[in-house]
Each structure stands twice: as C-alpha cells, then as structure tokens.
Amino acid sequence: SDVCSSDLPGAKPYLVSVERMRFIRPVRPGDILICHARQNTCEGGYYEFSVSAEVNSQRAATGTLTLKI
C-alpha cells in the first residue's frame, strides 16, 4: 500500500528538511503571517511541499519543506 495515497488519521508528520528557504522581507512581532503550501511530490512516505508566506499581501518568504509520515 502506498502511504502517500492513504488516509492516515492521527499520523504525525516530522520535518525532515528545509531547502532553498529565502526570507524576502522582515516579519515583525504583531505581523499577520499567511502561509501557503503546495504538495510537489510524495515517495515512500516523504512529502515535499513548496511553501510561501506573506504579510500584508507582500511575499515574505519562500522555500521547500520535506515531511515524513
């Protein structure tokens, strides 16, 4: 069974890596940070996501996260 296509209620993902993370502008206390993630790949229980974050509709950070379930 492919763990990536299974419904895993209660599964705990673990952060495996952070790659190409770039902070474009400062984020200060009190800022509202909106985060977005898009799944790129899944192999053997490893999920890779493209991530971005914005403050006041301006991009603040981008990068790639890998999680393991």
Side-chain angles (χ1 to χ4, degrees):
S1 168
D2 180 8
V3 70
C4 296
S5 62
S6 300
D7 183 21
L8 300 171
K12 294 181 182 179
Y14 295 93
L15 181 63
V16 175
S17 70
V18 178
E19 299 176 26
R20 297 178 299 279
M21 199 69 197
R22 179 171 175 236
F23 291 86
I24 301 161
R25 64 179 296 263
V27 178
R28 295 185 166 74
D31 285 347
I32 297 173
L33 186 69
I34 306 295
C35 300
H36 305 276
R38 186 187 73 228
Q39 183 179 332
N40 296 334
T41 61
C42 177
E43 292 183 28
Y46 288 90
Y47 292 77
E48 182 183 276
F49 295 88
S50 291
V51 296
S52 65
E54 60 185 46
V55 174
N56 295 327
S57 299
Q58 293 183 352
R59 184 165 288 173
T62 61
T64 303
L65 301 179
T66 301
L67 304 174
K68 170 75 171 151
I69 296 209

